[in-house]
Amino acid sequence: CSSDLGHHSRIRATGRHGSVLPMSWLKARESLLGLVTAPKGWHVFEDGQAPPSATPPWVIASVQDAGRIHSEAGTVQTRGLKLKLTVVSASEASVNALCASLRDKLDYAHPSGLTPLIPDTDSGSYPSDLIDSSTGMAYAMRVLSHTTTYQQ
């Protein structure tokens, strides 16, 4: 099950002077996932895991809560999100090349309705626990994450 994320529409959620207008968590998630693309032949999975029948290369995209800022009255004013990308392939070089491309695209990107994406973590590439049954070698893996906020 491969996913072409280029079809996601841009969310228009800015006010007259560039101020951020309220948006839902699902719209914020859609805006983030719309930024994640991979080359032909790679799968992109949006629900935090790959199906059991899938084989790399893939990018697993996950959007997670990353905190909240409350007003004095106790209402949530701002929500934080973390975009986590797990990149897996048979080759360390292909993992690193795709991660370099993703970092170029995502670092400080400013999706509509969200604050700019701030690079959070980069694990560097390492052998994963997944084994390529045709070679007996471990697949290479690298995890990137970015944080952002939005007004609720």
Side-chain angles (χ1 to χ4, degrees):
C1 176
S2 154
S3 175
D4 176 11
L5 296 175
H7 72 279
H8 286 281
S9 60
R10 294 270 183 226
I11 297 169
R12 201 66 196 133
T14 54
R16 281 196 327 161
H17 300 288
S19 60
V20 177
L21 297 176
M23 72 184 329
S24 73
W25 188 91
L26 288 174
K27 285 195 180 285
R29 177 184 183 274
E30 181 181 320
S31 188
L32 284 174
L33 292 176
L35 297 173
V36 181
T37 59
K40 185 175 181 172
W42 286 70
H43 303 283
V44 177
F45 300 106
E46 296 181 353
D47 287 324
Q49 62 182 341
S53 61
T55 57
W58 63 48
V59 176
I60 298 174
S62 175
V63 177
Q64 305 165 350
D65 264 332
R68 302 170 183 195
I69 299 173
H70 295 86
S71 70
E72 290 180 17
T75 59
V76 176
Q77 298 293 311
T78 303
R79 291 182 182 265
L81 293 176
K82 180 179 284 195
L83 174 63
K84 181 179 171 187
L85 303 175
T86 303
V87 180
V88 179
S89 180
S91 156
E92 179 184 56
S94 63
V95 165
N96 288 334
L98 181 54
C99 285
S101 175
L102 288 167
R103 294 277 318 256
D104 288 346
K105 181 177 184 178
L106 297 174
D107 288 4
Y108 308 103
H110 195 176
S112 182
L114 303 171
T115 59
L117 276 80
I118 305 299
D120 185 44
T121 60
D122 182 344
S123 68
S125 57
Y126 58 93
S128 73
D129 291 337
L130 300 170
I131 304 297
D132 183 340
S133 60
S134 65
T135 65
M137 300 285 292
Y139 284 102
M141 179 184 288
R142 186 168 165 185
V143 180
L144 305 175
S145 69
H146 290 76
T147 58
T148 185
T149 62
Y150 69 98
Q151 300 289 312
Q152 181 171 325

